[in-house]
Amino acid sequence: MMKLNDFLRYEISLKIEYDDYFRLIYGTKYLLEARLGPNRTFIARKSIYANCRKKAVHKAVQWYWKEFKGLIGTAHKVMEVNDPYGEVAYDQSFACNELGNKYLDDTTIDRIIEASDGDLVRDEREGTEHHPPNSVMRIKRRRKQNVVIAPRLLQSPGGTIYYRMTETPQVSKNGRVVRRRKVRNVKLASRSLDKALREVERRGLDKKAVA
């Protein structure tokens, strides 16, 4: 039953091998309307409604396993869900394993790869039924960087806060560096800025640091 907020229409495409298609019909009596495409592959299409592509993919996967139970292959090998509203868009935070970015059709895959400027490629790993591959994968590992939240205070992507101490100052002579500055990040127990500032003062880290 379609919910009131499931107003967006998406299309599921199944690419079924020739022998698998007739095995499906004769073995289960399941009448799936399909047309014969190139390379002796049948193409079947079904509309599905949801409020976003992520929800549409979730519904599509549930429908696939309920109806076919893997008889025509694992879902990631035969099923695609289109992206008619341009919801799949590349940026630096693009997550290949996000459900809304999986089961992409060829047109969307090509568009995302082009937009990534060499960051993404097709994910051609074999995968398994319970651990399917993504539609695309990164070939450049994203570097997670700490963020400066206050002078000398850095926070990691995981939320850990560090106090950046200068243990040895840089020394220059006649315009040349004769000794490089040595710094060290001291891990704090605090998880918020206010508590971190109090911890630095309590531990005297600001007094130990070299200006």
Side-chain angles (χ1 to χ4, degrees):
M1 180 178 179
M2 188 174 70
K3 297 180 181 179
L4 292 177
N5 59 345
D6 290 348
F7 55 87
L8 299 178
R9 178 179 177 274
Y10 299 86
E11 187 175 76
I12 302 171
S13 296
L14 300 179
K15 297 180 179 179
I16 310 170
E17 295 293 333
Y18 189 88
D19 293 339
D20 289 339
Y21 179 72
F22 287 103
R23 186 182 302 114
L24 174 69
I25 293 177
Y26 296 129
T28 66
K29 309 301 181 184
Y30 188 94
L31 297 177
L32 180 67
E33 184 177 347
R35 63 175 178 82
L36 185 61
N39 301 321
R40 289 170 59 85
T41 300
F42 281 94
I43 309 296
R45 304 188 190 281
K46 174 183 172 60
S47 294
I48 193 169
Y49 294 85
N51 58 10
C52 65
R53 189 179 186 278
K54 180 179 180 180
K55 186 63 70 66
V57 171
H58 177 72
K59 285 186 173 183
V61 172
Q62 287 188 320
W63 167 80
Y64 179 83
W65 287 108
K66 178 182 178 181
E67 295 294 338
F68 306 110
K69 300 176 176 61
L71 185 63
I72 56 177
T74 53
H76 70 272
K77 290 185 176 181
V78 300
M79 187 178 75
E80 298 173 350
V81 180
N82 68 347
D83 180 33
Y85 310 104
E87 297 167 79
V88 183
Y90 177 80
D91 58 26
Q92 288 301 312
S93 62
F94 183 87
C96 300
N97 61 347
E98 167 68 36
L99 185 59
N101 296 330
K102 290 186 173 184
Y103 298 96
L104 301 176
D105 59 316
D106 288 338
T107 300
T108 305
I109 290 177
D110 291 340
R111 172 171 59 80
I112 292 299
I113 290 177
E114 182 178 1
S116 75
D117 194 24
D119 195 8
L120 301 177
V121 295
R122 286 177 179 266
D123 191 342
E124 297 181 342
R125 293 174 294 182
E126 185 66 21
T128 64
E129 175 182 330
H130 299 292
H131 298 283
N134 303 316
S135 294
V136 294
M137 62 183 293
R138 288 185 180 274
I139 55 176
K140 296 179 181 178
R141 189 176 183 85
R142 284 183 294 179
R143 186 177 180 182
K144 297 182 178 180
Q145 297 181 337
N146 294 334
V147 178
V148 178
I149 58 175
R152 293 185 178 273
L153 286 176
L154 310 173
Q155 189 168 35
S156 72
T160 302
I161 298 177
Y162 298 89
Y163 182 75
R164 191 171 184 82
M165 292 179 58
T166 301
E167 295 185 321
T168 305
Q170 180 172 296
V171 177
S172 300
K173 188 175 182 180
N174 298 327
R176 298 182 61 183
V177 177
V178 296
R179 186 177 67 187
R180 294 188 178 278
R181 180 173 55 180
K182 183 179 180 181
V183 297
R184 177 167 65 96
N185 290 339
V186 179
K187 183 178 179 180
L188 304 181
S190 304
R191 304 287 286 186
S192 68
L193 178 57
D194 290 341
K195 291 182 178 179
L197 291 171
R198 291 197 294 269
E199 182 180 345
V200 169
E201 184 177 359
R202 185 178 69 253
R203 294 172 60 179
L205 297 176
D206 53 340
K207 296 180 177 61
K208 296 177 184 178
V210 179

